[in-house]
């Protein structure tokens, strides 16, 4: 069947990033479940969709893509006239948007995902949380959020005054961390706290919760 297909797992933050973008654009799609515990993502035919063996992979008719942030950008551009606007037109605005996405990927997610792994996903695999790692990573995350607090004091969202891909990319990991003691780092910063409440309450965000 032609159309949009997402090959991933509903608990995966990277998969959720793509699903939220599709919900924001009010697009129909099929989620093809990839069994991570069985290692389905490390075998054919999945490897023909992403040779690096990571979820999600994406198809839109005959067009194939992987890497969640590349997929969300494709969705935002290809379906710009659908649903909610996730971009910020104009060369300067797009540069700010690109900068925000880089910050999310390299400064925020690299730390926040470690905290999610230690406090949530380790439990799935019967492993024990390393509290020393949690403490260390929370210090790092706090520094990132201090910068966000300053930025959000100037604009409602991270890139501009409307919701964009920059904000969207943060949602899945934040959703998980709100169920851990790390939630305090968001709560302690008023602008960050308001931003988190806003982006996680969006209909698209709620639709990916298990």
């Amino acid at each position: 069947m032609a159309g949009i297909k997402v090959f991933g797992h509903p608990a995966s933050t990277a998969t959720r990033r793509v699903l939220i973008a599709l919900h924001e654009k009010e697009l129909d799609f099929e989620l093809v479940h990839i069994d991570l515990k069985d290692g389905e993502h490390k075998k054919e035919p999945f490897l023909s969709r992403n040779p690096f063996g990571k979820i999600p992979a994406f198809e839109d008719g005959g067009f194939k893509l992987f890497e969640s942030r590349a997929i969300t950008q494709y969705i935002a551009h290809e379906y710009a006239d659908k649903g909610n606007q996730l971009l910020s037109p104009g060369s300067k605005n797009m540069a700010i948007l690109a900068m925000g996405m880089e910050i999310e990927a390299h400064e925020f997610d690299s730390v926040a995902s470690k905290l999610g792994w230690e406090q949530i996903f380790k439990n799935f695999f019967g492993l024990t949380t390393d509290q020393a790692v949690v403490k260390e990573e929370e210090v790092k995350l706090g520094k990132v959020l201090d910068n966000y607090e300053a930025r959000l004091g100037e604009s409602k969202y991270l890139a501009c005054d409307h919701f964009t891909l920059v904000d969207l990319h943060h949602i899945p990991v934040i959703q998980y961390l709100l169920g851990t003691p790390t939630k305090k780092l968001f709560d302690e910063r008023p602008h960050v706290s308001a931003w988190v409440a806003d982006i996680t309450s969006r209909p698209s965000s709620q639709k990916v919760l298990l």
Side-chain angles (χ1 to χ4, degrees):
M1 182 179 71
I4 296 174
K5 294 184 180 182
V6 181
F7 299 82
H9 191 286
S12 151
T13 55
T15 300
R16 288 184 176 192
R17 204 172 281 128
V18 172
L19 300 183
I20 291 171
L22 290 167
H23 286 308
E24 285 285 337
K25 288 298 182 180
E26 300 171 1
L27 297 169
D28 293 327
F29 64 89
E30 177 187 357
L31 175 59
V32 181
H33 189 279
I34 301 298
D35 191 335
L36 301 180
K37 286 191 174 180
D38 188 45
E40 189 178 351
H41 56 308
K42 301 296 185 183
K43 307 171 185 174
E44 292 292 357
F46 185 81
L47 288 175
S48 66
R49 297 186 171 96
N50 183 351
F52 295 99
K54 295 180 180 179
I55 58 171
F58 176 87
E59 291 182 5
D60 187 359
F63 181 66
K64 298 181 180 182
L65 199 60
F66 57 88
E67 291 294 343
S68 63
R69 293 172 184 82
I71 296 167
T72 62
Q73 290 180 69
Y74 165 77
I75 292 166
H77 284 277
E78 181 69 10
Y79 297 98
D81 60 335
K82 304 285 188 182
N84 296 315
Q85 174 62 262
L86 300 176
L87 302 170
S88 188
S91 59
K92 291 183 175 65
N93 291 337
M94 286 301 293
I96 291 171
L97 192 112
M99 179 178 70
M101 290 190 287
E102 288 291 316
I103 292 168
E104 181 276 328
H106 300 293
E107 303 294 339
F108 176 85
D109 190 67
S110 61
V111 176
S113 288
K114 288 180 185 176
L115 286 163
W117 165 252
E118 285 294 337
Q119 297 177 94
I120 296 164
F121 292 104
K122 267 191 171 182
N123 294 332
F124 293 165
F125 297 97
L127 303 172
T128 304
T129 297
D130 186 331
Q131 293 298 339
V133 171
V134 170
K135 186 176 180 180
E136 181 182 344
E137 297 303 320
E138 282 189 339
V139 170
K140 295 177 186 176
L141 181 60
K143 291 177 180 177
V144 175
L145 295 180
D146 284 341
N147 287 316
Y148 282 15
E149 181 70 9
R151 173 63 180 166
L152 292 165
E154 298 171 357
S155 67
K156 185 176 180 181
Y157 297 98
L158 286 176
C160 56
D161 281 324
H162 74 265
F163 180 83
T164 68
L165 288 176
V166 177
D167 309 289
L168 186 156
H169 288 175
H170 288 79
I171 292 171
V173 178
I174 288 177
Q175 285 178 323
Y176 277 118
L177 292 181
L178 290 179
T180 73
T182 299
K183 179 178 184 290
K184 65 181 180 290
L185 298 183
F186 302 106
D187 294 343
E188 289 166 356
R189 295 163 173 83
H191 295 302
V192 168
S193 180
W195 170 72
V196 165
D198 183 313
I199 65 175
T200 59
S201 65
R202 293 177 72 85
S204 61
S205 304
Q206 293 297 307
K207 285 177 181 176
V208 302
L209 288 173
L210 296 176

